């Protein structure tokens, strides 16, 4: 799914109005019908809704939602700024339609303090994606008061006060919602930690904007959705043998850190590599042979890895529990200098590379690196925020011709062409040691199965997150463990195979 700027969204609306053709107010009606229907399905335990409307398009949507919810049998009140008589044409039309219903009471913002908020859902329809400047004082006051309420909150299209494409100023007043019902596209600000905290759970509603315009309009930012994953995923052939699905070699582990190598090895096997090897110190031999009996052990010395011998037609995933000792640093440098095929670098491999800028230049083209924000900072330097970090990642991915998997709540896969793909699977249950090791194993396995680097990264982060979502449903985000994520990979593949198989 493409992520569009505010300007592109406005153009998509305009082209839809022209080409369909449809009036702007009827396009708003279509959008609000989808919002009202979602609210109807998901808020049946509530009977009261209080809707806060602004003077423009978002307010028009709010007026229409108020009318639709009232017709579905809910009690509805509306708040507006009565001191302003200027409404947009569409907002004025929907406001007049609303006045035909005597059961809907219209209040002024100044009456908020006297209003009874008990057992009502708050709906924010003050300002949408068209917001381009700071809010006026009266709207700031309204939002500050609503943010203090414990009522369930829903924003229409975008939380009011939040910019769609870029970071807000530090002291901006923004509506903090539980759910955002957004139209057609994810907004970039939903996907970054500094701004995404305001949007709650995001629900994308398809309002049938002009598909030709969407297809032809270029963007540098995308969301990884199920359609993209189904295009990438290759179901296993019936007449196949282990040689077809590649040789994955996990290089990792050191004294006291053998669990990282275990997790990466297990996830590589669970993801389907034909042959899985683990190159680790001898001190981990018993652990690895006991926990990963399907994998083949390769000796890497006694307590730390000081030798990596290249095997033919193998894909390497290097880093989990590797350690950063001088001898290990030397052997990694030597290996990278002579290795030509794409590989996966994570954890201590990245920590070693960050010691010397020249190491970055010997990473094989089209390799995948998987830094979390601190590792990224050590590799490429400090940035002020996650928006700047992504911009820097785009530049570095192009410069080095690699794939950067920038781990975050919404992990970003940055291509060597400078495109960013946000992954929206996964949850905060992954915020535990070992989760990154699992991702390394998954990515190494997919590369070994001859998925192109970008496709391996896209499928890998989606698969990792989806398995984590399954694990959290079973055990909770608090209690789920990395091993639970590995155990759910098979269930994700079951679902993919069902969707990918054409049945008569």
């Amino acid at each position: 799914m493409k992520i569009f700027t505010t300007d592109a969204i406005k153009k998509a609306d305009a082209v839809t109005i022209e080409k369909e053709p449809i009036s702007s107010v009827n396009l708003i009606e279509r959008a609000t019908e989808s919002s009202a229907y979602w609210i109807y399905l998901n808020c049946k335990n509530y009977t009261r809704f209080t809707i806060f409307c602004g003077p423009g398009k978002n307010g028009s949507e709010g007026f229409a939602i108020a009318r639709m919810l009232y017709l579905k049998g809910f009690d509805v009140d509306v708040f507006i700024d009565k001191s302003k008589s200027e409404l947009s044409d569409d907002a004025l039309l929907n406001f007049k339609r609303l006045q035909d219903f005597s059961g809907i009471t219209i209040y002024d913002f100044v009456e908020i303090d006297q209003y009874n908020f008990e057992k009502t859902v708050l709906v924010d329809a003050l300002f949408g994606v068209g917001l381009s400047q700071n809010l006026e004082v009266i709207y700031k006051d309204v939002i500050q008061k609503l943010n203090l309420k414990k009522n369930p909150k829903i924003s229409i299209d975008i939380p009011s006060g939040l910019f769609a494409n870029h970071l807000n100023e530090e002291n901006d007043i923004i509506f903090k919602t539980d759910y955002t019902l957004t139209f057609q596209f994810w907004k970039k600000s939903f996907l970054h930690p500094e701004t995404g905290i305001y949007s709650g759970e995001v629900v994308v509603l398809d309002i049938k904007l002009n598909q030709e315009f969407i297809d032809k309009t270029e963007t540098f930012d995308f969301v990884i959705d199920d359609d993209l994953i189904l295009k990438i995923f290759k179901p296993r052939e019936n007449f196949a043998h282990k040689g077809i699905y590649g040789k994955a070699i996990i290089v990792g582990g050191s004294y006291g850190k053998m669990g990282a190598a275990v997790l990466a090895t297990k996830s590589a096997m669970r993801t389907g590599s034909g042959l899985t090897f683990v190159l680790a110190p001898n001190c981990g031999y018993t652990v690895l042979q006991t926990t990963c009996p399907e994998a083949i052990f390769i000796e890497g010395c006694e307590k730390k890895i000081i030798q990596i011998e290249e095997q033919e037609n193998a894909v390497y995933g290097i880093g989990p529990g590797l350690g950063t000792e001088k001898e290990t640093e030397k052997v990694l440098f030597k290996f990278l200098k002579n290795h030509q095929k794409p590989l996966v670098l994570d954890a201590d491999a990245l920590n070693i590379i960050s010691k010397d800028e020249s190491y970055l230049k010997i990473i094989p083209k089209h390799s995948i690196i998987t830094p979390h924000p601190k590792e990224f900072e050590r590799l490429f330097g400090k940035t002020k925020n996650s928006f700047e970090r992504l911009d820097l990642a785009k530049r570095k991915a192009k410069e080095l011709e690699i794939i950067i998997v920038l781990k975050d709540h919404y992990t970003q896969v940055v291509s060597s062409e400078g495109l960013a793909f946000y992954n929206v699977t996964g949850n905060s249950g992954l915020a535990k040691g070992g989760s990154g090791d699992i991702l390394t194993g998954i990515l190494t396995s997919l590369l070994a199965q001859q998925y192109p680097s970008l496709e391996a990264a896209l499928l890998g982060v989606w698969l990792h997150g989806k398995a984590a979502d399954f694990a959290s449903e079973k055990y909770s985000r608090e209690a789920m463990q990395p091993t639970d994520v590995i155990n759910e990979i098979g269930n994700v593949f079951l679902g993919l195979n069902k969707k990918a198989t054409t049945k008569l």
Side-chain angles (χ1 to χ4, degrees):
M1 179 187 292
K2 292 181 175 180
I3 299 174
F4 279 170
T5 63
T6 299
D7 288 342
I9 293 170
K10 289 179 180 177
K11 288 179 182 177
D13 286 348
V15 169
T16 303
I17 289 168
E18 177 189 354
K19 298 282 188 182
E20 194 163 324
I22 187 174
S23 67
S24 60
V25 74
N26 283 338
L27 183 58
I28 288 173
E29 192 81 357
R30 181 192 296 173
T32 51
E33 282 175 354
S34 64
S35 301
Y37 185 64
W38 186 93
I39 293 171
Y40 170 72
L41 290 179
N42 291 276
C43 299
K44 290 183 176 179
N45 292 331
Y46 296 91
T47 58
R48 290 185 65 211
F49 290 85
T50 307
I51 303 178
F52 295 80
C53 298
K57 181 184 175 184
N58 201 229
S60 179
E61 292 161 348
F63 295 140
I65 289 171
R67 167 170 42 88
M68 293 175 189
L69 291 179
Y70 181 77
L71 290 172
K72 289 182 181 294
F74 295 102
D75 294 326
V76 180
D77 293 327
V78 172
F79 274 83
I80 63 170
D81 178 11
K82 290 185 177 180
S83 68
K84 283 195 171 182
S85 58
E86 291 185 6
L87 295 174
S88 69
D89 291 344
D90 290 335
L92 182 60
L93 180 57
N94 270 323
F95 181 66
K96 288 179 177 177
R97 289 176 176 174
L98 195 66
Q99 290 177 308
D100 292 337
F101 299 91
S102 59
I104 300 176
T105 304
I106 299 173
Y107 293 90
D108 191 282
F109 288 155
V110 297
E111 300 177 83
I112 284 180
D113 291 337
Q114 290 75 47
Y115 184 75
N116 178 13
F117 282 92
E118 187 177 356
K119 296 181 180 179
T120 185
V121 177
L122 307 183
V123 180
D124 158 38
L126 293 169
F127 293 97
V129 294
L131 182 69
S132 58
Q133 59 188 7
N134 290 332
L135 297 174
E136 296 177 36
V137 173
I138 188 169
Y139 294 109
K140 288 182 179 180
D141 185 56
V142 169
I143 291 172
Q144 284 180 310
K145 288 178 178 178
L146 296 181
N147 281 344
L148 295 174
K149 304 295 182 186
K150 301 299 183 183
N151 305 62
K153 300 180 179 74
I154 299 172
S155 283
I156 304 303
D157 202 21
I158 191 170
S160 291
L162 185 66
F163 294 126
N165 309 321
H166 60 272
L167 192 64
N168 283 74
E169 296 295 327
E170 185 176 350
N171 295 319
D172 283 353
I173 304 300
I174 302 169
F175 187 83
K176 191 168 185 179
T177 191
D178 298 305
Y179 296 91
T180 297
L181 308 184
T182 198
F183 302 128
Q184 200 73 48
F185 313 103
W186 281 81
K187 278 61 175 181
K188 193 168 182 176
S189 58
F190 299 163
L191 297 158
H192 286 260
E194 301 92 340
T195 48
I197 56 172
Y198 295 99
S199 58
E201 183 176 330
V202 176
V203 180
V204 181
L205 301 173
D206 184 0
I207 60 170
K208 308 299 181 186
L209 294 181
N210 185 270
Q211 191 61 47
E212 183 180 4
F213 175 85
I214 294 172
D215 292 340
K216 289 184 176 180
T217 302
E218 293 186 354
T219 182
F220 297 102
D221 299 307
F222 303 80
V223 165
I224 304 170
D225 59 14
D226 289 0
D227 289 341
L228 176 59
I229 292 302
L230 286 171
K231 289 177 183 176
I232 293 172
F233 174 60
K234 296 180 288 191
R236 216 167 179 88
E237 298 290 343
N238 288 331
F239 294 94
H241 55 82
K242 62 188 177 185
I244 292 176
Y245 297 105
K247 181 192 296 185
I249 300 180
I250 300 299
V251 181
S254 55
Y255 186 77
K257 297 181 181 178
M258 208 54 62
V262 170
L263 292 171
T265 304
K266 281 189 170 184
S267 63
M269 292 188 295
R270 188 70 73 178
T271 306
S273 52
L275 288 168
T276 305
F277 295 74
V278 55
L279 194 164
N282 288 345
C283 63
Y285 175 80
T286 302
V287 172
L288 286 159
Q289 289 285 268
T290 303
T291 58
C292 310
E294 302 91 342
I296 302 166
F297 184 86
I298 303 173
E299 180 181 340
C301 216
E302 192 53 42
K303 290 190 176 181
K304 56 192 172 187
I305 292 175
I306 60 172
Q307 59 187 30
I308 306 175
E309 292 184 4
E310 184 162 355
Q311 292 198 26
E312 189 177 356
N313 299 322
V315 172
Y316 288 78
I318 306 177
L322 184 68
T324 58
E325 287 81 0
K326 199 66 181 177
E327 297 92 333
T328 305
E329 179 181 342
K330 287 180 181 178
V331 74
L332 178 62
F333 175 78
K334 180 181 178 182
F335 180 80
L336 292 177
K337 194 173 181 181
N338 296 313
H339 191 71
Q340 302 298 318
K341 292 180 64 177
L343 46 69
V344 181
L345 296 169
D346 181 37
D348 282 338
L350 298 180
N351 292 329
I352 289 172
I353 289 169
S354 67
K355 293 181 179 182
D356 190 327
E357 190 175 341
S358 66
Y359 290 174
L360 285 168
K361 298 175 182 177
I362 61 172
I363 297 175
K365 306 302 181 192
H366 310 300
S367 290
I368 303 171
I369 69 171
T370 62
H372 57 57
K374 276 296 181 185
E375 289 168 342
F376 183 86
E377 181 182 303
R378 289 194 286 268
L379 286 166
F380 301 116
K382 290 187 176 183
T383 53
K384 294 178 181 177
N385 53 65
S386 67
F387 289 83
E388 284 192 7
R389 185 168 64 230
L390 177 58
D391 289 339
L392 178 58
K394 288 180 177 181
R395 294 198 299 273
K396 291 300 181 180
K398 290 178 72 173
E399 176 188 320
L400 299 170
E401 297 181 57
I402 59 174
I403 311 298
I404 299 177
V405 174
L406 188 52
K407 292 186 284 197
D408 211 328
H409 179 71
Y410 292 119
T411 290
Q412 298 122 55
V413 176
V414 184
S415 77
S416 55
E417 292 79 28
L419 304 178
F421 298 81
Y422 293 84
N423 182 52
V424 295
T425 62
N427 58 77
S428 57
L430 286 170
K432 296 183 177 79
S435 296
D437 304 318
I438 294 170
L439 180 59
T440 297
I442 290 171
L443 295 173
T444 307
S445 181
L446 293 173
L447 274 184
Q449 294 172 65
Q450 298 185 36
Y451 281 92
S453 296
L454 178 58
E455 292 187 0
L458 295 172
L459 177 56
V461 298
W462 180 91
L463 176 64
H464 182 242
K466 198 74 171 177
D469 288 339
F470 285 178
S472 72
E473 289 173 8
K474 283 188 177 181
Y475 304 107
S476 80
R477 297 180 183 186
E478 292 80 6
M480 61 180 272
Q481 295 297 307
T483 48
D484 298 323
V485 177
I486 294 172
N487 292 335
E488 292 300 325
I489 291 173
N491 288 324
V492 181
F493 276 123
L494 283 173
L496 276 177
N497 276 288
K498 285 178 182 178
K499 290 179 180 178
T501 302
T502 303
K503 294 184 177 180
L504 296 177

